[in-house]
Amino acid sequence: GENVEQHPSTLSVQEGDSAVIKCTYSDSASNYFPWYKQELGKGPQLIIDIRSNVGEKKDQRIAVTLNKTAKHFSLHITETQPEDSAVYFCAASVGTSYDKVIFGPGTSLSVIP
Amino acid sequence: KAGVTQTPRYLIKTRGQQVTLSCSPISGHRSVSWYQQTPGQGLQFLFEYFSETQRNKGNFPGRFSGRQFSNSRSEMNVSTLELGDSALYLCASSLYGLAGGGETQYFGPGTRLLVL
């Protein structure tokens, strides 16, 4: 089955700097890659997603890139702000049912003011 | 519009007891999924309900069960609780349960279960 690895597990950046989180997946048939942000005491929130027919997607300060050949995808956050501090999860999915969405272990991001 | 709500938010039980957790999805959403989140295993899919039918099930023992009502509200039940069942249980709703199908899945804040 699908396996998703995520690095780093913790990340500290200065406010205004960029943050990059990288994930790799094992199943080459995966075609959907969402990213979630989970703040303390809250459930995960979808922040951006990308499908396998797209190499890059951007939404304001957040961008995701996908390399299907290498089977890895990354989240880029520019001009980080303290409110970006949270745990970020990547995920990969084969097909369209939520039972096929496999989550990475998460990255705890701290943005230092 | 109101988000996904879960009750109770915190729960303490002892081994051998059973527990029922409740989830109210966003109005109009017909798909409700349940997840278990632990530090060791991360986010794991439990099951998904759509129009009162269990459509998908994760790799959890039969002690974990659920149901969905005609108004899309859902409950999950864990019988004969074990220490390892201590976790954050998350409920999520979406329109049709189509991951990557142009819809967004919204998570509730979760129910924190502690089994002593």
Side-chain angles (χ1 to χ4, degrees):
Chain A
E2 175 67 280
N3 181 53
V4 178
E5 296 183 353
Q6 185 172 347
H7 299 281
S9 56
T10 60
L11 180 59
S12 290
V13 299
Q14 291 290 136
E15 181 178 357
D17 286 350
S18 295
V20 180
I21 302 170
K22 299 181 179 180
C23 291
T24 60
Y25 60 97
S26 60
D27 193 334
S28 57
S30 290
N31 57 8
Y32 175 60
F33 306 90
W35 285 87
Y36 294 86
K37 174 185 181 182
Q38 186 173 22
E39 297 174 275
L40 204 59
K42 297 184 178 180
Q45 174 192 5
L46 179 71
I47 56 172
I48 196 168
D49 57 9
I50 193 169
R51 295 196 62 86
S52 59
N53 58 348
V54 176
E56 183 173 358
K57 185 176 179 180
K58 189 174 182 180
D59 183 5
Q60 300 182 334
R61 297 185 297 108
I62 293 174
V64 57
T65 59
L66 171 65
N67 184 327
K68 286 190 296 181
T69 303
K71 291 190 284 188
H72 68 68
F73 55 115
S74 300
L75 178 72
H76 304 252
I77 306 174
T78 58
E79 301 172 17
T80 54
Q81 301 166 3
E83 51 265 37
D84 294 329
S85 296
V87 178
Y88 291 80
F89 295 93
C90 63
S93 172
V94 178
T96 58
S97 58
Y98 284 109
D99 65 319
K100 299 296 191 293
V101 178
I102 305 301
F103 293 87
T107 295
S108 179
L109 173 64
S110 297
V111 179
I112 304 164
Chain B
K1 56 184 176 183
V4 178
T5 58
Q6 293 187 244
T7 56
R9 292 294 310 276
Y10 303 93
L11 208 48
I12 300 176
K13 292 287 187 179
T14 56
R15 277 180 301 174
Q17 288 186 311
Q18 75 165 13
V19 66
T20 299
L21 312 181
S22 181
C23 171
S24 291
I26 290 173
S27 178
H29 284 190
R30 296 167 63 186
S31 168
V32 175
S33 296
W34 288 89
Y35 298 83
Q36 181 193 67
Q37 186 175 30
T38 60
Q41 299 299 316
L43 261 165
Q44 293 186 289
F45 175 87
L46 277 159
F47 29 66
E48 183 221 0
Y49 285 86
F50 182 84
S51 293
E52 302 179 65
T53 301
Q54 187 181 89
R55 192 159 65 173
N56 294 294
K57 189 176 191 305
N59 189 25
F60 279 82
R63 299 185 297 108
F64 292 82
S65 63
R67 59 177 175 170
Q68 186 181 34
F69 303 95
S70 58
N71 61 358
S72 291
R73 191 177 69 85
S74 178
E75 290 181 345
M76 70 162 280
N77 184 276
V78 188
S79 62
T80 320
L81 283 166
E82 301 178 358
L83 296 179
D85 297 332
S86 294
L88 179 68
Y89 290 89
L90 293 159
C91 163
S93 78
S94 67
L95 280 170
Y96 302 112
L98 295 175
E103 64 170 37
T104 298
Q105 185 186 47
Y106 295 89
F107 282 82
T111 293
R112 175 76 62 184
L113 172 65
L114 177 61
V115 182
L116 301 176

